[in-house]
Amino acid sequence: MNEAQQKAVHHKDGPMLVLAGPGSGKTLVITERTRWLIDENGVPEDQILVITFTKAAANEMKMRFLATRDGKRTGVSFGTFHAIFFTILKHAYRFTSANIVREEVRHQYMKEIIHRMQLEFEDEKELIADLFSEISLVKGSRINPQNYYSISCSDEVFRSIYHEYDKRLRRANLIDFDDMLLMCYELLAQRKDILALWQNKFKYILVDEFQDINLVQYEIVKLLAAPQNNLFIVGDDDQSIYRFRGAKPEIMLEFPTDYPESKKLLLDMNYRSSSNILDASNYLVKNNENRFEKNVRAVKDAGEGLVFRHFPTLSEENTAVTEEILSLYKKGIPLSQMAILVRTTLGAGSLVHKLMEYNIPFHMKDSLPNIFDHWITRDLLCYIQIAMGKSDRGLFLQIINRPKRYISRDCFDTPMVDLDSVKDYYEDKNWVLERIDQLEYDLALLSGMKPYAAVNYIRKGIGYEDYLKEYAEFRKIKSEELIDVLDEIQESAREFQSYEDWFASMEDYKEELKKQAIDNKELKKEGVMLATMHSAKGLEFEAVFIVDANEGITPHKKAVLAADLEEERRLFYVAMTRAKSLLYIFSARERYNKTVPWSRFIDEIMENKTKQK
């Protein structure tokens, strides 16, 4: 161990903040300190609590610790926040695992609630995910629902949904993961006798990835650690990237204020990345104002320089990624040591197609949503199928009022639709007849178009894009999110000359995603990893490709406030520091027929690099 690591390991009593940058050996420090407390200081194993954020991290930490011991068991408690807090609730309330609501039950409750409230929505799955995300944020930040402004629906509707969902859980004597935190906090805050029991049990508390902590988790940890405050926190404020889940980097930044007697230590040696990669990452993250000042140095030598490339089109960018992967593979770098990192899974579809085209094995850390299953795709395909001669009632019901034509569902009373019959239904309403005539004209035009032109005509000529903007306003979501989906669907159609070829390509893509969903261990061992920047945290690769490094993607267009931009910069920093030896940052000048500048983060890296020289 280096000097800083040894100092951290040999810290005995009182609070300590360990700033552990990427690749600085924080797992080693936590396991070694745990061993040191037991072997050198006689601390009983069962008085030590090690908290991590994921079950996998807790298991890995435990295995690493057991590797330093002769035995196969330990009295040290290794666990996630939820596991530890549920243990406390189990003893107090006699809960069992049967009291934790199952995921499918939770979704069923929410489904019933939104249907009973007769909410209008296009994508049920998406709405439910958004609502659960907001409920989690409200509970994890201890916000009174009355003071919360929803981004999924009207504030009044959100409050009704929140209370109804809560009522359903209580009636069934169930709790969800967020309740575990809230109930644990309330129990320990109100019952001093129960709190004292757990304070006496856990005399030494070590928290990993502290930068990801939310308010309720922190409040519970503070209660448990008192009065000795033997609280040893390890993390990196520059890698705090989960604000959308309620994580607050400010908690870590304010730790020295909350514990004025605390000691602070920086693990300043990076064992992962070459100095060129590490220096560039540092140049970037130093543009954030709200952070601990630190200077992390690379143990490795300079290595190869970063590769920045700006391509004329997205297609050329994707081709360059695949060709460079094949080139590195020929030079001896295993595919499993390469990763392609994207800001979001939306937009990764064209890259997946390119990897399939070049027969490059890959696997995805995140499940990639199938853009062709999206309700917007279904709408577009309905228009095209009708134009190709289909007349099923369901197809017409799907699109007849997208955009608004004020045509009633009642006039479609047969399994197959004949527009002449619809005209008879509206014979006394000339303004509706004009709309039906226009629809017939539009469908006739679509029947002779190539896929790319057809999508464009549905968007602009028929007015589907305006319909999406109205829908976004109604749902209180950003219309850009829906337009992004439209853009990607249209881009996917660009290279096809016929509808049949485009549809066949959709089927191939669907089959590839199904294959990805199957746990194919061989593929996972051999393939390139495709992951979002968020899910790549904690991983490392010889070569990393950061793709689509454009304004609006990274930083994301949603990042408007200064705090949001700082989070985006931290996310880019996390992506950069996954690379050990090679780092490629690629962008495209044109995306979806629009000129897009490369990311400001590239400029910040280059400017700081120049200043340093």
Side-chain angles (χ1 to χ4, degrees), residues 433-484:
L433 293 175
E434 282 172 20
R435 283 175 163 79
I436 298 169
D437 285 340
Q438 181 63 47
L439 176 61
E440 284 184 310
Y441 173 78
D442 290 335
L443 292 168
L445 277 182
L446 284 176
S447 68
M449 287 181 176
K450 289 178 182 174
Y452 186 85
V455 176
N456 199 50
Y457 186 74
I458 297 167
R459 290 178 73 160
K460 312 285 186 189
I462 292 178
Y464 184 76
E465 195 167 314
D466 291 332
Y467 155 73
L468 284 185
K469 286 173 183 170
E470 281 175 32
Y471 173 73
E473 198 175 324
F474 165 74
R475 265 285 320 276
K476 283 180 70 181
I477 56 178
K478 286 194 164 67
S479 61
E480 293 100 310
E481 291 175 30
L482 302 180
I483 304 304
D484 283 349

Side-chain angles (χ1 to χ4, degrees), residues 46-47 88 188 191-205 219-230:
D46 61 0
Q47 287 186 5
I88 293 172
L188 297 178
R191 290 287 302 271
K192 302 298 175 200
D193 53 337
I194 292 175
L195 173 61
L197 283 173
W198 291 101
Q199 286 172 334
N200 285 330
K201 173 164 175 54
F202 297 130
K203 294 283 178 61
Y204 290 85
I205 300 176
E219 294 295 344
I220 298 170
V221 167
K222 280 202 293 188
L223 285 170
L224 289 174
Q228 294 104 325
N229 295 329
N230 292 326

Side-chain angles (χ1 to χ4, degrees), residues 107-138:
H107 273 77
Q108 188 56 37
Y109 284 170
M110 188 58 80
K111 199 173 174 176
E112 288 166 8
I113 292 166
I114 61 177
H115 281 283
R116 194 177 57 76
M117 295 182 79
Q118 297 183 326
L119 293 187
E120 280 190 47
F121 52 83
E122 294 297 345
D123 191 324
E124 182 183 89
K125 204 171 162 188
E126 185 180 57
L127 176 62
I128 289 175
D130 290 346
L131 288 167
F132 276 135
S133 177
E134 291 199 72
I135 288 170
S136 189
L137 188 65
V138 168

Side-chain angles (χ1 to χ4, degrees), residues 359-387:
N359 288 319
I360 295 174
F362 68 96
H363 62 96
M364 292 176 289
K365 184 86 164 77
D366 315 76
S367 61
L368 191 63
N370 186 354
I371 193 84
F372 302 124
D373 283 342
H374 199 284
W375 60 269
I376 291 177
T377 312
R378 288 199 297 274
D379 285 355
L380 298 175
L381 295 186
C382 281
Y383 269 110
I384 290 168
Q385 286 170 320
I386 294 169

Side-chain angles (χ1 to χ4, degrees), residues 457-611:
Y457 186 74
I458 297 167
R459 290 178 73 160
K460 312 285 186 189
I462 292 178
Y464 184 76
E465 195 167 314
D466 291 332
Y467 155 73
L468 284 185
K469 286 173 183 170
E470 281 175 32
Y471 173 73
E473 198 175 324
F474 165 74
R475 265 285 320 276
K476 283 180 70 181
I477 56 178
K478 286 194 164 67
S479 61
E480 293 100 310
E481 291 175 30
L482 302 180
I483 304 304
D484 283 349
V485 174
L486 256 185
D487 284 338
E488 188 174 349
I489 297 163
Q490 186 171 348
E491 188 61 32
S492 78
R494 187 186 285 275
E495 64 192 81
F496 297 101
Q497 300 304 305
S498 71
Y499 292 133
E500 290 79 9
D501 289 348
W502 188 35
F503 295 165
S505 139
M506 289 182 196
E507 282 306 310
D508 290 346
Y509 185 68
K510 198 179 193 172
E511 286 308 309
E512 179 60 36
L513 290 189
K514 265 192 210 160
K515 198 168 84 180
Q516 289 289 336
I518 298 163
D519 187 19
N520 186 329
K521 284 178 184 156
E522 271 315 296
L523 192 67
K524 288 207 168 194
K525 218 188 309 177
E526 291 305 321
V528 174
M529 180 179 279
L530 177 60
T532 60
M533 294 176 177
H534 279 103
S535 65
K537 187 164 173 274
L539 304 175
E540 57 183 38
F541 306 88
E542 282 300 323
V544 168
F545 294 82
I546 297 176
V547 296
D548 304 335
N550 289 86
E551 281 293 302
I553 298 170
T554 176
H556 198 275
K557 64 180 73 156
K558 280 191 199 170
V560 180
L561 304 173
D564 297 330
L565 277 169
E566 293 216 342
E567 177 112 340
E568 290 286 318
R569 193 174 282 113
R570 290 194 293 269
L571 188 55
F572 204 88
Y573 170 78
V574 165
M576 291 176 74
T577 52
R578 299 311 92 203
K580 296 186 196 174
S581 310
L582 298 161
L583 177 60
Y584 300 82
I585 301 178
F586 287 179
S587 56
R589 190 174 303 121
E590 187 189 279
R591 289 179 68 83
Y592 312 135
N593 290 335
K594 296 176 197 127
T595 303
V596 197
W598 64 56
S599 170
R600 71 188 72 182
F601 299 150
I602 295 173
D603 289 327
E604 289 174 3
I605 294 164
M606 301 309 285
E607 279 165 21
N608 276 310
K609 200 172 178 184
T610 311
K611 273 184 210 164

Side-chain angles (χ1 to χ4, degrees), residues 111 147 153 201 271 348 412 569:
K111 199 173 174 176
N147 302 330
C153 49
K201 173 164 175 54
Y271 292 89
F412 300 105
R569 193 174 282 113

